[in-house]
């Protein structure tokens, strides 16, 4: 394992203990084989002056909810050191009482809750304390004879602690084990099945000790023929349609089991593929997680897929309920019974989450878990903690308390939308509105700039020409590959042809408009139907035009295409209703903040009608201006639960038009 320590950088922080603590915490956070997504914790003991000028010894310890890779000074909670040390003398203490006492001993009331390992950090008599869930160390301990192997690797200079629950029980255990220990002789503490601690009065030495001890475990694994490389998250863009349909059906089954929509992220990285090809796959997959706190994200075990994905998920659900009933008491509230990741034999793993980010976190954990399982299999077999210990972690009172705090979810959380014509105007506004309301969005446009337009993990920009069937198929495949399915289609891509009366109509003008404004939508809708049929409350919103009910002279190429499109949507509403897919049409008018309406065009049109630009822009019954954002907001409503019972409708958004009313 590589040390990221940089002397010249560290020197800058030498005079500020907390700044130095932030620096070395981030070094640890940078290495996913040490900690993943909020795992691990660090601390520094320091003396600070209170409001009355009195010096107080505090433990600055990582606050819960912070991630070591991005932690700031504000991420550390200053807790009175003497209070924490005295807590270790308690015989018993519930974790919620522990949190309460720790909070009341904080010198900054706005700081986050101290890590649950704060007491343990406090009783380690060194200034800097580092704790990680290093893959290599934990994996070696998760094997038959794991304890002996760890002993062989480290000898007696490392204290070995059998597994107990993190939090007060662990702190108390180590307090008892170390009462007569000469700390100077210890280089670290290995918590079997959990992680590792290093410490020193010098920040660099504590960090370097961590790297050195973890490297020893990696060296041991290498000697046993294990591959250490972790591989990256891999998302190939094109897959066989059959696989993608199966993926979408799995996503729907998991979402139904969870009771909420979910994103499904298929990962075909080398470790996941190797895991999915393992001969003892069912045995290893029934064991448990790499380190217990992963269970909060991943559940105890993944679902191993067979021939019938829906049946596999149902079996998982019933097994999960049995596991809950076996260990639960009346104070426990059962979590949903759906799996959080799946192993697809020969094809990798699939992670589920209520957002692309959450699914990504699960996927990262699955990747590291897969690698650890492969290592452990070379050492005689993967042995995780027994289900009872894992249940205690999954249903820890501090975790249970969080369930009660959950607020209402955004309306499209876990849903997947696809928007065409997404680089500007109404399409772009739809992408932003859907994303803001929690959806993962595939944003399609012919403009290659679309691929880099959105930085969010939940938005995937894909170049797509709706007049090209292959381009349409590829774009949809990329969207399914990335998010696991499709629930909402906003078919919007369009073009506004030059004004030509029928007598002067150029064949090219006519054909191009029909190709983009009519056939492009038909192509997209047709290609999306198989996935929408496997979607969650699936719905289509077709962007029509006021020109359909109220055409004007000179725009037949546009009006006819949009009228045809509206008719297509009506037939689609009839045909797709049995599959539960709603199809509704929105007819916008005078949306002037789009690319077509340059200042010049606006002025020209206003002059044509003998109006000022301002009057022209609000030329409707309500005398109001209609923006892309207004249209996108209504489209979201039509795609969402408010329109759950409506299909085949045509809704205008035009400020009121007497020709239409
Ligand atoms: Zn830990």
């Amino acid at each position: 394992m590589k040390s990221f320590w940089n002397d010249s950088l560290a020197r800058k922080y030498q005079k500020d203990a907390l700044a130095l603590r932030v620096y070395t915490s981030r070094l640890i956070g940078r290495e996913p084989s040490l900690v993943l997504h909020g795992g691990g914790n660090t601390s520094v003991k320091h003396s600070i002056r209170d409001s009355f000028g009195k010096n107080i010894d505090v433990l600055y310890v990582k606050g819960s909810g912070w991630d070591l890779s991005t932690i700031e000074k504000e991420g550390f909670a200053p807790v009175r050191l003497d209070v924490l040390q005295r807590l270790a003398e308690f015989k018993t203490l519930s974790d919620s009482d522990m949190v309460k006492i720790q909070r009341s001993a904080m010198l900054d009331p706005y700081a986050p809750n101290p890590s649950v390992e704060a007491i343990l950090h406090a009783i380690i008599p060194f200034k800097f304390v580092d704790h990680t869930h290093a893959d290599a160390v934990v994996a070696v301990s998760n094997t038959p004879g794991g304890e002996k192997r760890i002993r062989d690797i480290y000898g007696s200079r490392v204290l070995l602690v059998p597994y107990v629950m993190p939090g007060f029980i662990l702190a108390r255990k180590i307090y008892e084990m170390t009462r007569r220990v000469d700390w100077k002789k210890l280089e670290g503490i290995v918590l079997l099945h959990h992680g590792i601690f290093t410490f020193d009065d010098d920040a660099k030495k504590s960090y370097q000790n961590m790297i050195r001890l973890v490297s020893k475990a990696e060296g041991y694994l290498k000697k046993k023929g294990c591959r250490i490389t972790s591989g990256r998250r891999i998302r190939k863009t094109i897959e066989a349609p059959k696989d993608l349909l199966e993926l979408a059906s799995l996503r729907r089954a998991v979402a139904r089991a969870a009771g909420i929509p979910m994103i499904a992220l298929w990962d075909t990285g080398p470790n996941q593929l190797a895991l999915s090809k393992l001969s003892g796959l069912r045995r290893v997959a029934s064991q448990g997680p790499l380190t217990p706190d992963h269970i909060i994200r991943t559940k105890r075990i993944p679902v191993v897929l067979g021939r019938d994905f829906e049946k596999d998920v149902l079996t998982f659900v019933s097994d999960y309920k049995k596991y809950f009933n076996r260990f639960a008491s009346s104070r426990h509230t059962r979590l949903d019974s759906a799996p959080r990741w799946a192993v697809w034999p020969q094809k990798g793993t699939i992670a589920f989450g209520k957002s692309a980010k959450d699914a990504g976190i699960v996927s990262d954990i699955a990747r590291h878990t897969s690698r650890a399982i492969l290592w452990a299999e070379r050492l005689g077999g993967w042995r995780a903690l027994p289900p009872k210990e894992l249940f205690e972690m999954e249903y820890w009172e501090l975790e249970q308390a969080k369930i009660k705090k959950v607020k209402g979810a955004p309306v499209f959380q876990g849903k997947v939308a696809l928007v065409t014509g997404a680089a500007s105007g109404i399409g772009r506004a739809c992408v932003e509105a859907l994303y803001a309301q929690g959806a993962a969005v595939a944003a399609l446009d012919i403009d290659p700039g679309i691929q880099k337009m959105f930085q969010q993990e939940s938005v995937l920009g894909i170049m797509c020409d709706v007049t090209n069937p292959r381009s349409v198929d590829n774009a949809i495949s990329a969207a399914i590959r990335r998010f696991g399915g499709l629930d909402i289609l906003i078919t919007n891509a369009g073009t506004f042809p030059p004004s030509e009366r029928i007598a002067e109509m150029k064949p090219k003008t006519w054909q191009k408009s029909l190709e983009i404004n009519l056939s492009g939508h038909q192509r997209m809708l047709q290609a999306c139907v198989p996935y929408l049929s496997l979607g969650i409350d699936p719905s289509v919103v077709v962007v029509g035009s006021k020109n359909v009910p109220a055409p004007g002279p000179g725009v037949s190429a546009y009006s006819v295409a949009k009228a045809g499109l509206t008719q297509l949507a009506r037939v689609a509403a009839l045909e797709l209703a049995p599959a539960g897919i709603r199809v509704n049409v929105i007819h916008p008018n005078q949306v002037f903040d789009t690319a077509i309406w340059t200042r010049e065009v606006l002025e020209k049109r206003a002059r044509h009608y003998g109006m000022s630009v301002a009057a022209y822009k609000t030329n409707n019954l309500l005398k109001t201006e209609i923006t892309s954002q207004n249209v996108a907001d209504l489209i979201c409503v039509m795609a969402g639960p408010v329109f759950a019972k409506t299909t085949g409708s045509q809704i205008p958004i035009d400020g009121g038009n007497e020709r239409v009313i």
Side-chain angles (χ1 to χ4, degrees):
M1 177 164 288
K2 211 175 123 209
S3 164
F4 294 125
W5 188 271
N6 178 321
D7 271 325
S8 60
L9 260 178
R11 217 168 289 132
K12 282 201 289 185
Y13 310 118
Q14 215 60 49
K15 287 207 173 75
D16 180 346
L18 189 54
L20 188 59
R21 181 66 282 181
V22 169
Y23 170 67
T24 78
S25 302
R26 285 182 169 213
L27 296 186
I28 290 172
R30 257 173 78 177
E31 178 51 69
S33 293
L34 286 177
V35 289
L36 276 174
H37 302 293
N41 38 64
T42 56
S43 69
V44 58
K45 298 179 183 76
H46 194 48
S47 179
I48 57 175
R49 198 160 284 187
D50 74 1
S51 318
F52 307 101
K54 198 178 145 205
N55 280 338
I56 297 181
D57 288 339
V58 295
L59 177 82
Y60 276 106
V61 64
K62 192 196 100 163
S64 78
W66 283 80
D67 194 297
L68 287 180
S69 64
T70 51
I71 198 156
E72 312 266 358
K73 280 184 173 180
E74 301 80 64
F76 287 89
V79 194
R80 282 173 180 277
L81 190 59
D82 60 333
V83 174
L84 290 170
Q85 286 166 342
R86 282 176 61 192
L87 283 177
E89 292 165 18
F90 281 29
K91 281 256 154 23
T92 58
L93 180 64
S94 78
D95 285 311
S96 39
D97 283 344
M98 176 182 81
V99 170
K100 211 190 292 173
I101 298 169
Q102 285 177 354
R103 269 210 80 81
S104 64
M106 273 166 43
L107 269 78
D108 175 359
Y110 303 111
N113 271 341
S115 154
V116 293
E117 310 295 17
I119 299 175
L120 175 45
H121 282 258
I123 61 172
I124 296 177
F126 291 95
K127 191 172 172 70
F128 289 91
V129 177
D130 296 331
H131 168 48
T132 73
H133 299 154
D135 287 358
V137 179
V138 187
V140 170
S141 84
N142 286 357
T143 58
E147 185 172 347
K148 191 182 170 298
R149 292 174 197 275
I150 295 282
R151 180 56 68 216
D152 290 347
I153 295 170
Y154 296 119
S156 58
R157 293 186 68 84
V158 164
L159 180 73
L160 245 63
V161 182
Y163 180 81
V164 292
M165 266 292 280
F168 178 76
I169 302 172
L170 176 61
R172 175 75 203 172
K173 173 110 191 155
I174 292 182
Y175 173 73
E176 280 167 2
M177 286 177 77
T178 55
R179 262 196 267 192
R180 271 171 286 279
V181 152
D182 179 1
W183 280 93
K184 291 256 169 332
K185 288 190 178 146
L186 282 184
E187 292 173 354
I189 300 175
V190 169
L191 312 174
L192 295 170
H193 305 291
H194 173 168
I196 177 165
F197 273 85
T198 55
F199 31 79
D200 202 284
D201 287 333
D202 181 72
K204 182 179 180 180
K205 281 190 188 152
S206 182
Y207 171 74
Q208 302 280 45
N209 253 355
M210 178 63 72
I211 302 299
R212 193 172 52 80
L213 292 183
V214 175
S215 299
K216 277 190 171 185
E218 288 187 344
Y220 177 85
L221 287 167
K222 263 191 215 156
K223 237 192 286 161
K224 300 281 175 185
C226 301
R227 274 186 45 217
I228 302 297
T229 50
S230 68
R232 286 166 188 250
R233 227 189 273 169
I234 293 192
R235 301 179 199 119
K236 272 193 272 165
T237 43
I238 310 299
E239 299 292 336
K242 184 175 157 287
D243 284 347
L244 294 176
L245 284 167
E246 285 194 319
L247 175 66
S249 77
L250 172 67
R251 169 179 175 264
R252 181 171 68 174
V254 170
R256 280 178 177 166
I260 49 166
M262 293 268 213
I263 302 301
L265 180 57
W266 183 10
D267 198 327
T268 49
N271 289 313
Q272 277 104 319
L273 269 183
L275 175 75
S276 74
K277 290 174 181 171
L278 211 60
S279 59
L281 174 60
R282 277 186 191 274
R283 171 182 53 81
V284 294
S286 68
Q287 282 284 313
L290 173 54
T291 181
D293 80 339
H294 287 170
I295 201 169
I296 310 300
R297 303 264 191 194
T298 62
K299 289 255 162 82
R300 190 176 72 86
I301 51 174
V303 56
V304 178
L305 301 172
R307 286 226 177 95
D308 182 343
F309 288 3
E310 270 173 61
K311 216 176 98 199
D312 298 331
V313 172
L314 289 176
T315 309
F316 182 95
V317 166
S318 94
D319 289 348
Y320 185 84
K321 286 179 178 162
K322 276 183 220 155
Y323 152 81
F324 178 80
N325 292 333
R326 195 169 143 210
F327 301 110
S329 67
S330 57
R331 68 190 158 88
H332 293 118
T333 308
R334 185 168 58 75
L335 304 166
D336 75 70
S337 305
R340 288 299 183 272
W341 66 297
V343 187
W344 194 354
Q346 310 295 324
K347 291 183 180 174
T349 64
I350 301 158
F352 310 105
K354 60 184 186 326
S355 63
K357 187 171 170 237
D358 272 17
I361 289 174
V362 174
S363 188
D364 287 344
I365 295 175
R367 191 168 74 245
H368 284 262
T369 306
S370 301
R371 182 176 64 159
I373 290 176
L374 295 168
W375 290 341
E377 284 296 286
R378 288 193 80 95
L379 301 186
W382 177 245
R383 294 271 170 86
L385 284 167
K388 186 176 182 305
E389 316 274 1
L390 292 166
F391 178 87
E392 274 170 22
M393 188 72 197
E394 191 176 1
Y395 284 87
W396 193 359
E397 54 177 304
L398 298 180
E399 291 300 328
Q400 289 268 291
K402 283 185 201 161
I403 310 173
K404 288 166 196 142
K405 285 191 204 150
V406 173
K407 295 193 195 94
V411 64
F412 294 123
Q413 182 173 283
K415 291 197 130 194
V416 184
L418 187 149
V419 179
T420 67
S424 63
I426 291 170
R428 183 163 186 171
C430 282
V431 173
E432 281 158 7
L434 287 159
Y435 167 76
Q437 295 178 54
V441 190
L444 275 54
D445 205 286
I446 195 163
D447 175 358
I450 193 76
Q451 294 168 107
K452 293 199 172 133
M453 196 168 280
F454 303 97
Q455 303 309 315
Q456 303 91 331
E457 198 170 355
S458 289
V459 182
L460 178 67
I462 307 167
M463 200 182 137
C464 176
D465 174 2
V466 294
T467 66
N468 178 340
R470 251 190 76 187
S471 175
V472 168
D473 285 344
N474 288 348
I476 294 170
S477 296
I480 306 296
R481 184 69 174 82
R482 177 69 185 84
F483 299 125
L486 181 63
D487 311 308
I488 297 166
L489 168 63
I490 313 294
T491 177
N492 162 71
T495 177
F496 199 75
S499 177
E500 287 167 14
R501 290 180 169 259
I502 294 163
E504 302 105 40
M505 177 66 62
K506 294 189 189 81
K508 209 177 135 200
T509 305
W510 179 261
Q511 276 153 12
K512 191 180 169 199
S513 177
L514 259 70
E515 187 51 34
I516 297 172
N517 292 323
L518 177 58
S519 303
H521 292 266
Q522 188 275 340
R523 207 168 279 124
M524 184 58 65
L525 178 61
Q526 182 180 15
C528 283
V529 164
Y531 298 105
L532 287 166
S533 302
L534 296 167
I536 299 150
D537 183 23
S539 127
V540 178
V541 180
V542 174
V543 179
S545 164
K546 176 244 24 176
N547 273 279
V548 174
V555 285
S556 61
Y558 184 74
S559 300
V560 168
K562 287 288 190 181
L565 172 61
T566 304
Q567 198 72 344
L568 173 73
R570 296 173 74 198
V571 176
L574 294 168
E575 289 185 3
L576 301 179
I581 304 168
R582 297 178 283 118
V583 185
N584 291 294
V585 182
I586 188 167
H587 289 316
N589 190 33
Q590 294 183 309
V591 184
F592 295 120
D593 62 347
T594 61
I596 320 164
W597 292 95
T598 57
R599 186 81 205 162
E600 230 182 332
V601 176
L602 259 177
E603 275 166 6
K604 203 171 144 196
R605 296 306 296 167
R607 251 198 322 274
H608 178 82
Y609 290 105
M611 289 179 193
S612 68
V613 168
Y616 179 68
K617 279 167 92 173
T618 58
N619 186 24
N620 53 55
L621 293 174
L622 293 170
K623 300 286 170 225
T624 186
E625 206 178 314
I626 298 128
T627 65
S628 296
Q629 172 77 50
N630 298 146
V631 179
D633 287 344
L634 184 55
I635 286 174
C636 282
V637 171
M638 293 167 74
V642 176
F643 266 60
K645 308 294 165 74
T646 302
T647 191
S649 75
Q650 297 177 44
I651 311 288
I653 177 162
D654 53 12
N657 181 319
E658 55 208 348
R659 285 182 61 204
V660 172
I661 289 173

